[in-house]
């Protein structure tokens, strides 16, 4: 039996802010703000969404870089 996308929410990890933090949302709901991949895992756990794999999930949209890209203010200043 395969799982359909209707059984899982669409999670978005937004483009990093100047401080490197990234909002994590489900639809119009902000689940939290993450500063590292482990924060995303914790946010999903607190939202009872920890069944979703952070790195290889088709249910998580990573905007502005993947799970290993967390630029801080110093990286933004280089641009």
């Amino acid at each position: 039996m395969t799982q359909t996308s209707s059984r899982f929410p669409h999670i978005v990890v937004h483009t990093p802010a100047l401080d490197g933090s990234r909002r994590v949302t489900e639809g119009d709901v902000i689940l939290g703000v993450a500063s590292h991949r482990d924060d995303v895992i914790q946010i999903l756990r607190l939202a009872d969404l920890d069944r979703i794999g952070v790195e290889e999930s088709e249910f998580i949209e990573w905007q502005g870089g993947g799970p290993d890209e967390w630029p801080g203010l110093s990286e933004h200043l280089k641009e």
Side-chain angles (χ1 to χ4, degrees):
M1 183 166 135
T2 61
Q3 296 177 344
T4 63
S5 61
S6 63
R7 296 188 65 196
F8 289 94
H10 179 75
I11 305 298
V12 177
V13 180
H14 294 268
T15 302
L18 287 178
D19 65 357
S21 65
R22 299 170 81 164
R23 283 182 302 122
V24 180
T25 61
E26 176 189 359
D28 294 334
V29 177
I30 296 174
L31 299 176
V33 177
S35 296
H36 190 271
R37 176 182 49 215
D38 292 340
D39 293 340
V40 176
I41 293 168
Q42 181 64 17
I43 289 168
L44 294 178
R45 182 178 300 125
L46 292 172
D48 196 29
L49 298 171
D50 54 333
R51 67 190 180 276
I52 298 173
V54 171
E55 292 186 28
E56 300 175 5
S57 176
E58 63 187 70
F59 305 106
I60 297 180
E61 177 183 345
W62 291 89
Q63 297 178 344
D68 293 321
E69 296 181 43
W70 298 87
L73 181 59
S74 62
E75 290 186 36
H76 284 284
L77 293 176
K78 291 179 194 175
E79 297 174 353

